[in-house]
Amino acid sequence: MPAERLLPSPEAADLISLTRELCAKELLPRVAEAERDEVFPRDVFTVLGRAGLLSLPYPEEFGGGAQPYEIYLQVLEEIGSAWASVGVGVSVHALSCFPLYTFGSDAQRARWLPDMLSGELLGAYCLSEAHAGSDPAAMRARAVRDGDAYVLNGAKAWTTHGGHADFYTVMARTSDDGGRGISCFHVPADTPGLAFDRPEEKMGLTGSATVTVRLEDVRVPADHLIGAEGQGLAIALAALDAGRLGIAAVATGIAQAALDHSVAYAKQRETFGKRIIDHQGLGFLLADMAAATETARAAYLSAARFKDAGRPYGRQASIAKLTATDNAMKVTTDAVQVLGGAGYTRDFPVERFMREAKITQIFEGTNQIQRLVISRHLAR
């Protein structure tokens, strides 16, 4: 059954209904084949974009949907429940727009943001490097000022949409001053010198392209610098707080899908003369799965309300990401158990949900990093 939601307005309810309709029509019929064949569904993002679902948390003046995070994340959960690769992609697109919207100048926002939020373009976010994931201050990619431009060189690992995106938000080092020596750049995809390795062969999210982006004398005008020189790490960390809420919502969607499939199976599968859902041992397992999914949803909605109120929400975002992704891993593992041998086959999607849930514990900051963030907040 679909997730039960308390929504603040009829308009929000209509938005959820639209999302479910698009998921049923455009996503669910394609997800199994695309994930099996490892095909990136670029056209799906165009469909979602034209429906206004790629730009929900941004203002109408720039072409956004002007939705609070409390609503945007529930839309994202619905998408993630239907197709996790696409849900992650929507979250990454919003993440890639965040630095320009939040730290860009008025001129930069007016110049680029309407196209970025139009629904026709797709963004990518380049922060991590092969040796600098949990420790982004250790990055080596460099941007050197050359007259009225910057020249970027290096490699950015684990880039979602790499090779398919229309623009890249790139963090690169402009000085050797540790975390204070990193800057943020807007790099259009047609900039000469951008190159892309072959996509990573991953355990899950195989419909999402994850690529190392090569920067080989990539020359961008100086006005493509977002914020000030040396502000890049602060920009990146602020963006990650928002991005962690997106991943929490997608993880909750994966858990909801796993729960729904498990309940449906348990209602029709019989052993010892009755439905397996009527056996207390299995019924209690399903109850725990439902509780974990509802808890995850409550955690990300609580964090979203802090963000919508303009309050600091970094600790709440880390708690939401930690809770939702750990719960998704447990719920999807239990879903495989509910289906037994059938759950271990690709005849049912729960094995895919389990593989997809695993990565949510890793990207946008591993859950060990989330615990570090939370503990540091507590120690202040």
Side-chain angles (χ1 to χ4, degrees), residues 98-358:
F98 181 94
L100 178 62
Y101 170 67
T102 309
F103 295 91
S105 67
D106 290 341
Q108 288 175 324
R109 285 194 288 266
R111 177 181 177 185
W112 291 315
L113 206 54
D115 286 340
M116 291 163 64
L117 299 178
S118 68
E120 299 298 317
L121 304 185
L122 189 64
Y125 188 76
C126 298
L127 174 63
S128 293
E129 298 180 7
H131 59 280
S134 295
D135 180 14
M139 72 173 60
R140 297 172 187 160
R142 186 168 289 273
V144 176
R145 185 69 183 257
D146 181 25
D148 61 354
Y150 286 90
V151 180
L152 280 65
N153 282 281
K156 309 303 288 189
W158 312 113
T159 303
T160 301
H161 304 153
H164 297 276
D166 300 292
F167 64 91
Y168 295 81
T169 299
V170 180
M171 306 297 165
R173 181 167 295 286
T174 47
S175 82
D176 294 322
D177 190 15
R180 292 181 292 274
I182 295 167
S183 301
C184 179
F185 298 89
H186 173 73
V187 182
D190 60 358
T191 305
L194 277 176
F196 309 97
D197 289 0
R198 65 192 299 270
E200 303 289 347
E201 297 178 355
K202 308 191 301 288
M203 175 190 294
L205 294 186
T206 49
S208 175
T210 305
V211 172
T212 292
V213 176
R214 303 284 174 181
L215 305 162
E216 301 170 355
D217 291 329
V218 172
R219 189 179 187 89
V220 296
D223 63 4
H224 284 49
L225 172 70
I226 299 173
E229 270 199 17
Q231 196 179 9
L233 186 60
I235 292 173
L237 295 179
L240 284 177
D241 282 341
R244 284 164 182 164
L245 293 184
I247 295 307
V250 172
T252 304
I254 295 170
Q256 183 67 52
L259 174 64
D260 291 344
H261 280 275
S262 298
V263 170
Y265 184 86
K267 284 180 177 179
Q268 58 87 25
R269 172 72 169 169
E270 293 186 357
T271 60
F272 306 106
K274 60 181 179 181
R275 304 179 306 172
I276 62 173
I277 199 170
D278 296 320
H279 292 285
Q280 188 178 78
L282 195 86
F284 281 8
L285 181 62
L286 291 166
D288 286 344
M289 293 165 65
T293 304
E294 292 276 358
T295 300
R297 184 173 299 116
Y300 82 65
L301 287 175
S302 175
R305 291 175 187 128
F306 273 83
K307 186 179 191 311
D308 290 334
R311 300 263 302 271
Y313 68 99
R315 178 173 66 90
Q316 289 80 8
S318 285
I319 289 171
K321 198 269 186 184
L322 173 65
T323 300
T325 60
D326 278 355
N327 284 7
M329 192 70 247
K330 184 176 190 313
V331 169
T332 55
T333 301
D334 287 344
V336 173
Q337 192 71 21
V338 169
L339 272 67
Y344 200 67
T345 72
R346 295 193 178 182
D347 294 335
F348 294 85
V350 293
E351 61 83 27
R352 172 166 56 83
F353 298 152
M354 182 178 172
R355 291 184 284 109
E356 291 169 341
K358 184 63 224 176

Side-chain angles (χ1 to χ4, degrees), residues 58-125:
Y58 293 102
E60 289 181 337
E61 65 180 294
F62 298 114
Q67 293 298 310
Y69 254 67
E70 180 180 358
I71 303 304
Y72 158 63
L73 293 177
Q74 293 186 79
V75 169
L76 191 55
E77 183 196 331
E78 292 286 342
I79 296 170
S81 182
W83 193 342
S85 289
V86 174
V88 167
V90 173
S91 179
V92 167
H93 177 76
L95 174 68
S96 67
C97 297
F98 181 94
L100 178 62
Y101 170 67
T102 309
F103 295 91
S105 67
D106 290 341
Q108 288 175 324
R109 285 194 288 266
R111 177 181 177 185
W112 291 315
L113 206 54
D115 286 340
M116 291 163 64
L117 299 178
S118 68
E120 299 298 317
L121 304 185
L122 189 64
Y125 188 76

